[in-house]
Amino acid sequence: MKLNSQIIQNIRADFPILEEKIYGKPLIYFDNGATTQKPFCVLQKIEYAYKHLNANIHRGVHFLSQQATEAHEDARNVVAHFLGAEKREEVVFTRGTTEAINLIAFSFGEAFCSENDEIVISVMEHHSNIVPWQMLCERKKMKLRVIPMNEKGELQLDAFRRLLNENTKLVSVTHVSNVMGTVNPVDEIIRISHEMNVPVLIDGAQAVPHIPVNVRELDADFYVFSGHKIYGPTGIGVLYGKEKWLNALPPYQGGGEMIENVSFEKTTYNVLPFKFEAGTPDYIGSTALAEALRYVGDIGIEKIAAYEHELTTYAVEQLSAVEGIRFIGTATEKSAVISFLVGNIHPYDIGILLDKLGIAVRTGHHCAQPLIDSLEIPGTVRASFSFYNTKEEIDVFVAALKRVVAMLI
Ligand code: PLP
């Protein structure tokens, strides 16, 4: 059964923060691209874990340590299943998308890159999929190449093909744009790259909460995402990597857990995935992330995608009635993100006034400054939806926007 309004009301009751009043108005939370709210089951899992199974993992012979270890390693199974990974060892826990990309930029760079090599990214990347590669390029005197997009905000695959050459070492692109909601043809990008034997990293931060992802079907070499954007806690994220790649890469950080044997003369490293998990891992975070993924899985990611698509289409229709509105990003394949400008009004002013009406949207460059600069705009107002949002909230939002625009114009 598709997600009808009764089911959505039941889902909303799972999220305590949706009861909050902002300046006396019911909260309308349309900033899900930045972070998502947490259902009771995730909050309860965090409390339960600290109350009943808190002990440092892997090293302890005692009961609690074994329980905590089991919870952390079970979380790895849940993530592996969620992503369709072949092996649980291919799942590395990180602090988030940003750390996962930095890990690959460092380790892959150390193992496989040298002067004049090239990394390909796209014009619509988040800073966390730009800066780590720039740092690598600076360190190794390499070049960063950028896939352009068309006026709808879709990547130009012909130009992409032309960027690939014998110096290309890795392609790293976002699955879904956090600014425009464009769903990139990552299967095609991976296929084209593999024809040239170039591995591909996919930034799935904005994809996994909204659309089905299967890393094996995609044949992605690396796939990364953040727990907090998929109803899990902050501070935990995932790096998926094909076993052959992860085995070929040196560790990113040194410390406890990631070693097999340490002497002052020489250290040998642990097996996957522990080689990449130096120090005490966030086992409470991983346990709570697994709960979030189970929650999403129980609702059904296909149903979520269909409902959010309906919501986004409705929002675009309603917003189109706002005089002077200009949508930024009108790709055919779009996820639950709408960016726009109205006339010459600065996005920040719209965001501030909407906030006073209880509506949380994001304004600015959305950590994608090169994209915003290439569009020659000051930023956008961004509404990004979740399955707990409703058409009624969109109606309130559109009415509020009309009021705000009337005040500012
Ligand atoms: N990549 C994309 C596409 C994002 O939208 C974000 C966050 O907004 C990130 C990467 C960075 O995620 P985090 O800050 O959780 O590491």
Side-chain angles (χ1 to χ4, degrees), residues 97-98 126 128 174 178 203 205-206 226 228-229:
T97 304
T98 302
H126 187 281
S128 62
T174 193
N178 67 313
D203 172 354
Q206 297 293 341
S226 298
H228 70 98
K229 292 189 196 283

Side-chain angles (χ1 to χ4, degrees), residues 46-351:
I46 295 168
E47 189 179 348
Y48 178 86
Y50 274 122
K51 276 185 172 168
H52 299 290
L53 48 81
N54 182 45
N56 209 331
I57 62 170
H58 291 146
R59 288 166 289 221
V61 291
H62 62 81
F63 182 82
L64 274 186
S65 175
Q66 290 184 12
Q67 293 277 294
T69 303
E70 215 168 279
H72 182 67
E73 292 307 325
D74 180 55
R76 204 184 305 278
N77 295 340
V78 172
V79 173
H81 177 73
F82 177 77
L83 287 177
E86 190 180 344
K87 298 182 176 168
R88 64 189 307 285
E89 291 78 11
E90 295 175 319
V91 172
V92 174
F93 286 113
T94 65
R95 282 195 300 122
T97 304
T98 302
E99 189 179 53
I101 297 174
N102 274 277
L103 189 164
I104 295 302
F106 176 81
S107 294
F108 188 90
E110 284 304 292
F112 295 109
C113 297
S114 51
E115 195 167 340
N116 292 327
D117 283 343
E118 297 181 4
I119 302 288
V120 175
I121 61 170
S122 88
V123 66
M124 64 177 79
E125 298 308 319
H126 187 281
H127 294 163
S128 62
N129 198 26
I130 302 174
V131 184
W133 304 114
Q134 276 176 332
M135 290 161 73
L136 168 64
C137 287
E138 212 162 293
R139 206 168 72 237
K140 297 254 175 171
K141 299 190 175 58
M142 294 163 53
K143 289 197 196 82
L144 195 61
R145 310 295 296 271
V146 181
I147 312 170
M149 65 181 194
N150 64 20
E151 67 292 341
K152 288 169 76 182
E154 296 165 331
L155 291 182
Q156 293 180 309
L157 291 190
D158 286 347
F160 168 57
R161 270 195 196 86
R162 287 194 295 275
L163 284 179
L164 293 175
N165 61 56
E166 64 283 1
N167 292 331
T168 313
K169 281 287 149 26
L170 186 124
V171 172
S172 187
V173 290
T174 193
H175 197 160
V176 173
S177 159
N178 67 313
V179 178
M180 302 176 294
T182 310
V183 181
N184 287 319
V186 290
D187 46 355
E188 188 69 0
I189 288 171
I190 291 169
R191 201 185 53 71
I192 294 167
S193 305
H194 284 177
E195 277 171 12
M196 300 278 288
N197 288 324
V198 175
V200 183
L201 183 151
I202 302 296
D203 172 354
Q206 297 293 341
V208 292
H210 304 290
I211 55 176
V213 170
N214 184 305
V215 290
R216 240 185 311 171
E217 278 170 21
L218 284 176
D219 202 19
D221 299 283
F222 305 103
Y223 196 100
V224 299
F225 72 91
S226 298
H228 70 98
K229 292 189 196 283
I230 184 161
Y231 312 100
T234 52
I236 187 85
V238 169
L239 160 66
Y240 159 83
K242 279 184 186 165
E243 189 182 31
K244 68 165 187 186
W245 282 116
L246 293 183
N247 270 330
L249 301 185
Y252 172 52
Q253 293 180 328
E257 299 269 348
M258 52 76 72
I259 51 89
E260 179 194 49
N261 192 52
V262 180
S263 73
F264 285 121
E265 288 69 41
K266 183 167 172 59
T267 291
T268 53
Y269 304 127
N270 208 337
V271 292
L272 292 179
F274 311 113
K275 183 171 89 172
F276 292 108
E277 291 181 359
T280 300
D282 185 2
Y283 51 90
I284 304 283
S286 61
T287 305
L289 170 61
E291 192 61 34
L293 297 183
R294 280 191 206 103
Y295 182 83
V296 167
D298 285 349
I299 298 173
I301 193 75
E302 263 99 7
K303 288 185 195 169
I304 290 172
Y307 176 73
E308 290 179 350
H309 180 71
E310 193 183 313
L311 214 53
T312 311
T313 309
Y314 180 75
V316 169
E317 272 165 27
Q318 299 305 308
L319 283 168
S320 300
V322 177
E323 214 171 305
I325 196 159
R326 176 178 154 211
F327 293 106
I328 307 298
T330 52
T332 311
E333 296 296 327
K334 253 179 82 93
S335 179
V337 177
I338 299 176
S339 259
F340 63 88
L341 290 165
V342 185
N344 290 326
I345 305 172
H346 198 281
Y348 183 76
D349 295 335
I350 293 179

